[in-house]
Amino acid sequence: MNFAPENIDIEYPIHAGSRRLKADIVVLRCERANNLDQHKDIIGIVECKQSSIESAEDQLKTYMAVSSSCEWGVAATKDARQFYRRLYNGEIERIHAIPPSGMTVDQVERLIKSDLKPAINLKLRFKSILFHLYSNTNIQSRTRLCNEMTKILFCKIYDERLESDVPIFQCTPGKSYEEVKQDIQDNLWKQVLSDLGSTDAFKDDEGIILDADSVAYVVGELERVSLLNTDSDVVGAAFEVFAERYFIGEKGEFFTPRIAVINAIKFLDPHYSDTIIDPACGSGGFLIQALEYVWKKIETTETDKEWKTRHAPDYIFGIDKEPDLVKVARSYMALVGDGYTKIVDADSLKPPEKWSERSRVTLTDSNGQLKKFDIVVTNPPFGSQIKVNHRYILSNYELGHQWRKQKSNNRWIKSKEVVPTAPQILFLELCIKLLKDGGTMCIVLPESVFGNPKEGYVRQWLLDNVQVLAVWDCPNTLFLPHTSTKTCMLFLKKNKVIRQEILMSHINKVGHDQRGAEIRVNDESIEEDFSLAIEDWRNSHVTENDSWRGKVSRFIFSENLDSENRLVPRDFILNDTQNIDGCSLLDLELQQIIDIKTIPCNVRAREYSQDGVPFLRTSDLGVWEKRPTQKRVPLEVYNREKARQDVQIFDILMVKDGGQLIGEAVILLEDDTKMLLQGHFYKIRVMDPNRLNPFFLYWALVQAYLSIQSRILIQSTLGSMTKDRIREIIIPFPDQEQQKVIGEEVEHILRERKRFRNEFEKITST
């Protein structure tokens, strides 16, 4: 609302009779000062509580009642907000939103479309709306809430596309909540239903059943933003929030973040005459972006503008097996581009004869064969727990067969047997089948496809059949907060080439944090590396000596790939900058200076107890330290397992698999050894302290963290550091004197930190 920071104060004293209270936040008419008057200078009050909106409301009303100059107030928790105004007679009533800076509640004018601004952190805004509705609306089912929210979003999108200067989608001053809902229902929703035609998303006579209070609340939350100009897949973002349990992740499906979608389409650079398909289209995010991208090309050329209106039905296609998502995708396309008729409900992996007649007519030729497309772009469902088992499906795919590796030449040979196969593998082959010769494609896949030795046959098949253009290595934050699965984006062309020249790009910033909140540069552009990868692609120059480097990329020739044909970009990008002189851990192990072992663990969750011996899990590691353990096991369990685990002083424990902690390590001191360990650690022990100081080794492993991260192998969808990969790590190996200097300093720091922690625990326990 653009209130100046100098006009905002926190913990502001408010007098209520003999009591002296403190308001969390106040907005003032003038700059902060010591002699302000709560009956003259306060415009607004904000009261925040951790979870109870009712408590926040009661406290807020008390403050507003005794502050006669206060015009409005906000009661807020982390999940909900309520807005109020103070009437001239002192009564306090609900309003849909607070006025912007410089206006009173009564002065708020009708919005015009030029006032609308792109939304920041749209998902968080939707979450706030969800929590409010879930607590206050007449609907308790999240699925039904999603349906109602979709209606309102379609009304908003429809309103923004109207040519009028004044939006209908707003809470105009003086209108009751019932009147606001009636406006939305009569002037927008009925028109939306008419335009949606045969999408089958909603019944012809279906109305908005959300109560008027809630409709007005949602309108108030969204009226000042432009969804069409927001850098987000609006419907996809809403589904991620409102239908998370119903649509997200149950079958391996996750909506692709908008910033990744935008840049994938930029890379593919579709022409207005290109046919485009997404065989796992979800709510249509890739298709909408492709449509908008092509439209911008049309608008900047002399091409007949009428062509724009007929582009989508003839050139944009989509398939999804989830009927509700198909209906929404059709509706979404209908609202923005009249493309719904070519989005069908079908299981893409099944042969067309198993599809409905509508799907077959849309996507097969006169011979019953799948049509071919210029561009394929998709984020298919993936996961190790959802393998395809049906023989009639698997038999149609080369990658659905058993492949065996020949020891003589390291080549994989396809057998006649079919085996249960992860859907992402089959989708990769399907997408290539859907491409015309010379067509281009982007697919999002788990990193295991690009690096797991067990999936080497997939990479061999890929390199044998198509031209791999680029691979984008994405961080595990890309799909957070839903899943930390590590993924890569693969770009290819349906050409057969003898020599592959592949642009490897390492994406570090994806525009949002682990909670899904946007990260912006100076509150403006989204902070991301995808555009740098695009820039590298456009500026790239292949040289015979493989010397070209971009901002986040480098070229790799197929002859420089290892025997497994690993295509994980960070293997090449990160290692390229870490030319360390020293010894590998394998060298040290062969010289019997160190020993690397996995931790055997037969402790079961049912054996946990309140008392007993500490049980160290990966989650008990902090920043290179061991925190107090959260689990314990009985002494008899410890006695049963201790010999097998063989934990000793100065052993280094390193997390070897699981989530984001891979590579984190801790060195054990004297009182750390009486415990059991979870089986997700490597135990690295210095066998010859006269040649290698244990604390120096610990320091060297901390320094090698980036190198460790670059060697994480994604097996299925989970990361792991295999023994072969950990042995590849290079550490410096100076003489004993240099090791001693560093080792003694590290040991002193660790012991002092432990001493301070013990002292602090004594103080807090008394």
Side-chain angles (χ1 to χ4, degrees):
M1 294 297 180
N2 297 322
F3 296 107
E6 57 269 19
N7 289 70
I8 298 174
D9 205 352
I10 60 174
E11 292 292 310
Y12 186 85
I14 289 182
H15 297 276
S18 61
R19 294 183 297 163
R20 184 170 180 173
L21 309 173
K22 286 187 177 181
D24 290 336
I25 303 171
V26 295
V27 179
L28 304 164
R29 284 190 169 82
C30 52
E31 294 185 8
R32 293 186 298 268
N34 293 325
N35 57 347
L36 297 180
D37 189 333
Q38 70 190 54
H39 299 294
K40 296 179 181 179
D41 299 312
I42 295 178
I43 300 174
I45 299 174
V46 180
E47 180 62 22
C48 306
K49 296 293 183 186
Q50 180 66 27
S51 57
S52 173
I53 189 66
E54 293 80 9
S55 177
E57 289 173 316
D58 291 343
Q59 194 73 54
L60 174 68
K61 290 175 182 178
T62 297
Y63 295 151
M64 293 178 70
V66 297
S67 303
S68 56
S69 66
C70 181
E71 298 177 2
W72 52 263
V74 181
T77 69
K78 61 184 178 69
D79 296 331
R81 290 178 296 173
Q82 298 283 12
F83 306 105
Y84 293 89
R85 67 179 295 183
R86 190 181 191 277
L87 302 175
Y88 296 111
N89 62 4
E91 292 183 5
I92 296 170
E93 69 174 12
R94 280 269 309 278
I95 55 176
H96 70 276
I98 61 174
S101 177
M103 289 187 182
T104 66
V105 176
D106 293 326
Q107 290 173 333
V108 174
E109 299 174 356
R110 295 187 72 186
L111 289 168
I112 58 175
K113 288 187 176 176
S114 59
D115 294 328
L116 306 185
K117 305 296 181 185
I120 305 295
N121 279 324
L122 188 60
K123 286 183 189 176
L124 295 185
R125 188 182 290 255
F126 283 157
K127 283 184 179 180
S128 177
I129 293 173
L130 169 65
F131 289 129
H132 173 89
L133 295 181
Y134 207 63
S135 301
N136 296 282
T137 188
N138 58 325
I139 298 173
Q140 296 303 312
S141 163
R142 283 183 69 158
T143 304
R144 292 182 65 196
L145 275 179
C146 182
N147 192 54
E148 291 302 295
M149 192 66 187
T150 303
K151 295 177 187 176
I152 295 176
L153 289 178
F154 282 166
C155 289
K156 172 67 170 165
I157 292 168
Y158 180 87
D159 186 43
E160 289 186 31
R161 293 182 60 81
L162 293 175
E163 294 183 358
S164 60
D165 293 329
V166 179
I168 299 170
F169 195 95
Q170 63 175 304
C171 293
T172 51
K175 281 197 173 182
S176 67
Y177 296 156
E178 287 73 17
E179 289 172 321
V180 170
K181 177 178 177 178
Q182 201 65 44
D183 273 351
I184 301 299
Q185 177 102 5
D186 294 343
N187 299 319
L188 293 177
W189 177 241
K190 288 182 179 179
Q191 298 304 314
V192 169
L193 274 180
S194 176
D195 277 16
L196 293 184
S198 59
T199 63
D200 300 325
F202 305 98
K203 297 177 182 177
D204 292 341
D205 58 350
E206 186 169 345
I208 295 175
I209 62 173
L210 197 63
D211 61 276
D213 193 330
S214 297
V215 171
Y217 175 83
V218 176
V219 172
E221 286 289 302
L222 299 177
E223 65 180 359
R224 293 183 176 273
V225 303
S226 170
L227 296 183
L228 291 180
N229 291 323
T230 294
D231 199 16
S232 177
D233 171 5
V234 175
V235 175
F239 267 93
E240 285 196 34
V241 173
F242 282 84
E244 180 175 350
R245 293 179 185 173
Y246 187 61
F247 286 111
I248 305 298
E250 288 186 356
K251 303 171 185 176
E253 64 280 88
F254 294 93
F255 294 99
T256 315
R258 180 69 162 179
I259 196 66
V261 171
I262 289 172
N263 285 285
I265 298 299
K266 282 183 180 178
F267 186 102
L268 296 170
D269 190 25
H271 190 256
Y272 60 79
S273 60
D274 286 335
T275 52
I276 304 171
I277 189 170
D278 181 347
C281 68
S283 63
F286 275 117
L287 301 179
I288 293 292
Q289 182 58 35
L291 183 66
E292 292 176 349
Y293 185 88
V294 170
W295 278 358
K296 288 178 182 177
K297 278 193 170 183
I298 295 172
E299 290 168 354
T300 56
T301 67
E302 295 301 317
T303 307
D304 182 7
K305 296 299 195 304
E306 287 297 318
W307 192 92
K308 174 179 173 179
T309 61
R310 58 185 174 85
H311 175 264
D314 296 331
Y315 293 87
I316 304 291
F317 296 77
I319 314 173
D320 202 277
K321 66 188 295 185
E322 175 51 63
D324 289 334
L325 278 178
V326 168
K327 291 178 182 179
V328 171
R330 288 176 186 166
S331 302
Y332 201 5
M333 290 292 288
L335 287 178
V336 301
D338 195 28
Y340 64 87
T341 55
K342 295 300 192 299
I343 297 178
V344 299
D345 170 11
D347 185 338
S348 303
L349 296 177
K350 291 181 178 179
E353 58 265 25
K354 299 289 185 178
W355 295 352
S356 67
E357 182 180 357
R358 175 177 182 173
S359 301
R360 287 197 303 273
V361 169
T362 302
L363 292 169
T364 60
D365 58 24
S366 57
N367 297 318
Q369 301 299 308
L370 283 172
K371 291 180 179 179
K372 305 292 185 181
F373 299 85
D374 297 293
I375 290 175
V376 178
V377 57
T378 194
N379 173 19
F382 47 77
S384 59
Q385 305 301 317
I386 54 170
K387 290 185 177 181
V388 177
N389 296 288
H390 301 295
R391 185 179 182 85
Y392 75 92
I393 296 178
L394 296 167
S395 60
N396 291 318
Y397 296 91
E398 290 187 41
L399 297 179
H401 287 71
Q402 176 77 54
W403 289 67
R404 295 184 176 90
K405 193 172 186 180
Q406 306 296 109
K407 292 183 179 180
S408 58
N409 59 5
N410 280 330
R411 291 281 298 176
W412 293 83
I413 303 297
K414 179 173 73 75
S415 73
K416 295 181 179 180
E417 306 168 44
V418 296
V419 291
T421 305
Q424 64 266 20
I425 304 297
L426 301 181
F427 263 102
L428 175 62
E429 184 174 342
L430 170 68
C431 289
I432 293 172
K433 286 181 178 178
L434 288 168
L435 272 181
K436 294 178 181 178
D437 289 340
T440 54
M441 158 181 151
C442 171
I443 185 170
V444 183
L445 294 169
E447 191 187 278
S448 60
V449 177
F450 300 87
N452 190 345
K454 292 181 180 179
E455 295 178 17
Y457 72 97
V458 179
R459 297 187 292 278
Q460 176 186 293
W461 179 89
L462 190 69
L463 294 169
D464 285 347
N465 286 280
V466 300
Q467 178 184 358
V468 178
L469 301 175
V471 182
W472 290 356
D473 184 351
C474 302
N476 57 10
T477 52
L478 181 61
F479 287 97
L480 286 175
H482 301 298
T483 177
S484 60
T485 297
K486 190 82 170 58
T487 57
C488 291
M489 298 176 69
L490 170 67
F491 298 87
L492 59 84
K493 191 171 187 177
K494 196 170 182 179
N495 285 340
K496 283 192 177 182
V497 294
I498 297 174
R499 189 194 201 205
Q500 299 275 359
E501 299 168 345
I502 307 166
L503 189 69
M504 298 287 194
S505 300
H506 183 247
I507 307 297
N508 186 41
K509 300 172 184 175
V510 294
H512 62 258
D513 61 20
Q514 296 182 2
R515 298 181 302 114
E518 290 177 0
I519 300 174
R520 292 182 175 263
V521 181
N522 298 324
D523 295 327
E524 294 181 2
S525 61
I526 291 178
E527 188 175 43
E528 47 84 19
D529 290 339
F530 294 105
S531 56
L532 299 180
I534 293 286
E535 187 178 339
D536 284 346
W537 172 251
R538 292 173 178 169
N539 297 332
S540 58
H541 177 64
V542 180
T543 61
E544 288 302 316
N545 62 4
D546 194 19
S547 61
W548 184 87
R549 299 292 185 275
K551 293 181 177 178
V552 295
S553 315
R554 64 167 291 189
F555 267 107
I556 294 297
F557 296 149
S558 53
E559 62 263 29
N560 293 332
L561 297 174
D562 62 18
S563 61
E564 300 288 347
N565 289 320
R566 283 173 55 86
L567 294 172
V568 179
R570 72 174 186 279
D571 281 359
F572 306 97
I573 304 295
L574 293 181
N575 292 342
D576 194 41
T577 61
Q578 295 168 10
N579 298 316
I580 302 173
D581 292 327
C583 290
S584 70
L585 295 189
L586 177 60
D587 293 334
L588 296 174
E589 193 175 35
L590 291 174
Q591 297 176 57
Q592 298 184 340
I593 297 174
I594 67 170
D595 180 56
I596 304 174
K597 281 189 167 60
T598 55
I599 300 292
C601 179
N602 289 325
V603 178
R604 301 291 180 260
R606 63 177 179 271
E607 294 180 307
Y608 295 158
S609 64
Q610 296 296 320
D611 301 309
V613 178
F615 181 67
L616 187 75
R617 300 176 300 163
T618 57
S619 56
D620 296 322
L621 263 59
V623 182
W624 308 106
E625 69 170 342
K626 180 179 75 67
R627 296 190 295 245
T629 57
Q630 300 299 308
K631 299 292 183 182
R632 290 180 174 270
V633 294
L635 184 60
E636 58 268 23
V637 174
Y638 169 72
N639 289 332
R640 183 189 76 203
E641 299 288 330
K642 67 177 181 179
R644 297 173 66 244
Q645 294 202 348
D646 181 30
V647 178
Q648 296 182 16
I649 183 174
F650 303 153
D651 281 348
I652 297 170
L653 306 178
M654 179 181 288
V655 180
K656 71 181 182 71
D657 54 29
Q660 300 178 48
L661 291 173
I662 296 175
E664 297 279 3
V666 63
I667 186 168
L668 303 182
L669 300 179
E670 287 81 358
D671 57 348
D672 293 327
T673 58
K674 189 175 181 179
M675 64 179 178
L676 290 183
L677 307 176
Q678 193 179 42
H680 298 293
F681 293 100
Y682 284 121
K683 179 178 63 180
I684 305 173
R685 178 175 297 169
V686 174
M687 307 300 291
D688 189 348
N690 293 322
R691 297 175 65 188
L692 180 62
N693 182 297
F695 289 93
F696 172 81
L697 175 60
Y698 174 70
W699 171 85
L701 291 173
V702 171
Q703 303 307 305
Y705 183 69
L706 274 181
S707 178
I708 293 170
Q709 287 289 300
S710 75
R711 287 173 169 78
I712 293 173
L713 175 68
I714 305 298
Q715 305 195 67
S716 184
T717 58
L718 293 178
S720 68
M721 173 70 69
T722 65
K723 266 195 175 182
D724 289 339
R725 304 293 280 169
I726 194 174
R727 289 183 173 113
E728 294 173 358
I729 297 168
I730 305 294
I731 65 166
F733 195 62
D735 60 34
Q736 280 290 302
E737 191 59 36
Q738 289 177 289
Q739 288 187 34
K740 181 179 179 182
V741 171
I742 295 174
E744 286 181 350
E745 184 176 356
V746 171
E747 182 176 7
H748 173 73
I749 292 171
L750 294 178
R751 290 189 182 280
E752 283 295 290
R753 182 165 66 176
K754 188 157 192 172
R755 183 175 68 83
F756 286 133
R757 177 185 286 280
N758 291 338
E759 289 294 325
F760 181 76
E761 289 176 355
K762 287 179 183 178
I763 294 171
T764 55
S765 63
T766 56

